[in-house]
Amino acid sequence: MAENVKPRVRVPGTASAGEVITIKTLISHTMESGQRKDDDGNTIPRSIINRFVVDFNGENVIDVQLEPAISTNPFFEFQATVPESGTFNFTWYDDDGSVYTEAKDITVS
Amino acid sequence: MKKLAVAAVLSVSVAAPSVADETANLVLNGETQITVRADAPAHVDGLSEIISGWVFRSDETQALQMDDFDNPGMIFVDEARDTWNEASGEAGESCASCHGEPESMAGVRPVYPKWNEEAGEVRTLAMQINDCRETRMEAEPWGYTSGAMANMEALISSVSRGMTINVAIDGPVAATYAAGEELYYTRTGQLELSCASCHEQNYGNYIRADHLSQGHINGFPVYRLKNAKLNTVHARFKGCVRDTRAETFSPGSPEFVALELYVASRGNGLSVEGPSVRN
């Protein structure tokens, strides 16, 4: 199992209606590509985060498929105009079956 | 429900040489002021101004260090926070058992390496950490440039960011200081270059695609885009000596400890920045 996997997200707590906000997410992960060999010449098995999903108030807004060429600690930054107060749910899916989640509330005034 | 508008950008780090903004100022997280330029300390004859390595990096690399969320070095600081609280060794102690919160280490990094009266030796931060592990925790020492050590140094540095480097050079450390200074100005290797050849006489110039800094260690440990991990002071020294095509000293050797004390003292007046981001 991948070690030291820790999701982090940054979402502003408040925004005004129509304001463009920046959301940053990062998950610490080795993203082992499956292409490398260890000192004995054996292939190191692939172990990556393969999917990243963001929902806002239950509606899907981002769904990304990640590939082995993506570097360690995948970082996603995106901008959003949030129409109403609510909750962002972030989900990362690991090759080993683990699912990591984070949630952040935002108040729109 | 109204539609939420989204624009996604996948950020991939590439170390591309682009021109540095040499007038930029460094503020961390919009609040911590970092001194990146200061008058050279009186004991450094070869420089009039001391300048942090951050100044010589490209805009993109500089930006990564300005916000803890963007600074990949902070991931390792988080790992060290977990380690800090984990019991390890025969005595069943964690760093937290004796030291409380990592924030209790504020003020430690700016004065290292320093003299340890009881042991009668100059200690780097790494030596001190391993002394706590071996004698107080009865645990295995960490490798001098290992990931675990780099992470712990990063945690201890991070709580002193913004504090002014102030390494003592006289009294019981005078001989070590002199030995470090000697090493700094001695030409080595097939290329016959000293640290000063590059970092004192040629800072600001390009050496191949690399923008030469003054080679300070206020930003250590540094996260390098090149190898996507934290790099320790002695690992960097080793790389630089090797680049002169010389046999290098070992990390943790008395020579590198002396060199570290000397190089650290050249940065007296700059702020602690570690973990910083470099290419």
Side-chain angles (χ1 to χ4, degrees), chain B residues 98-167:
Chain B
C98 296
H99 293 295
E101 293 294 313
E103 281 66 25
S104 68
M105 290 283 148
V108 170
R109 176 64 168 77
V111 296
Y112 268 79
K114 77 166 191 197
W115 182 252
N116 184 293
E117 191 57 52
E118 227 167 287
E121 65 180 6
V122 171
R123 274 195 186 158
T124 61
L125 200 49
M127 288 165 75
Q128 176 61 52
I129 292 169
N130 265 345
D131 184 71
C132 282
R133 282 188 60 82
E134 288 188 85
T135 63
R136 303 191 193 273
M137 299 167 74
E138 295 167 49
E140 286 292 311
W142 284 324
Y144 202 91
T145 57
S146 63
M149 182 61 85
N151 293 0
M152 189 54 73
E153 290 177 304
L155 172 61
I156 293 173
S157 297
S158 70
V159 298
S160 290
R161 286 180 299 169
M163 294 180 163
T164 307
I165 305 273
N166 185 17
V167 171

Side-chain angles (χ1 to χ4, degrees), chain B residues 13-59:
Chain B
S13 15
V14 254
S18 71
V19 180
D21 178 358
E22 290 185 27
T23 59
N25 278 314
L26 178 52
V27 181
L28 303 180
N29 305 311
E31 54 185 35
T32 308
Q33 288 285 343
I34 300 290
T35 303
V36 293
R37 280 177 212 83
D39 289 340
H43 63 272
V44 180
D45 290 334
L47 299 172
S48 55
E49 188 186 27
I50 49 173
I51 307 169
S52 163
W54 177 83
V55 172
F56 298 88
R57 308 297 23 116
S58 69
D59 289 353

Side-chain angles (χ1 to χ4, degrees), chain B residues 216-227:
Chain B
H216 291 293
I217 56 173
N218 60 311
F220 276 80
V222 305
Y223 179 88
R224 293 189 67 185
L225 300 170
K226 167 180 160 170
N227 56 17

